Each structure stands twice: as structure tokens, then as C-alpha cells.
Amino acid sequence: MATPNYGYEKRQKELAKKKKKEDKLREKANRKLMPSSDGLAPGDPETDVASLERDPPTVPELPTKNG
């Protein structure tokens, strides 16, 4: 029976880890260059904390039984 080549397995794990990290950094760079329209853009009135402090969100009033 052949013995396991632990060095090869370790190298493959390192390469996979490196590739995953590079992909993650590439995706992060793409997000910085092209912000999506998910409402997470800075300065967006819905997510901007400063605008929420100035203009708190309004809550619609619920109808009551009396009126």
C-alpha cells in the first residue's frame, strides 16, 4: 500500500486557500468600483445615519376603533 503524500495535500490546501483569498479580494475591489443598488451606498438617505438623525422615519398611524 502506498503512503500518503502529506506534502502534496498541504500544498493543494494552500493553493486553494490562496485562490479563495484572491477571489475574495477581487470581489471586494469590484464592489468598491461598482456599488450595487442594494440600498447600501454611502450617502443613500435610507442608510445614511446622519440623514436618519435629521429626519427620523415616519410610521403610518394605524386606524383605531373609535375613529
Side-chain angles (χ1 to χ4, degrees):
M1 184 171 160
T3 59
N5 187 351
Y6 293 114
Y8 177 80
E9 291 176 12
K10 183 177 180 181
R11 179 71 179 141
Q12 293 304 308
K13 283 184 182 180
E14 289 173 352
L15 289 173
K17 192 175 185 181
K18 184 178 178 182
K19 184 179 184 294
K20 185 176 179 181
K21 186 175 182 179
E22 288 173 352
D23 289 345
K24 195 172 185 179
L25 287 173
R26 191 176 303 115
E27 288 296 321
K28 186 176 180 182
N30 286 341
R31 282 195 307 266
K32 277 189 175 182
L33 293 175
M34 305 173 89
S36 65
S37 61
D38 291 340
L40 301 176
D44 186 4
E46 293 179 8
T47 58
D48 190 14
V49 175
S51 70
L52 289 176
E53 290 173 352
R54 284 191 309 257
D55 304 320
T58 59
V59 179
E61 293 184 25
L62 299 173
T64 59
K65 288 183 179 180
N66 296 337

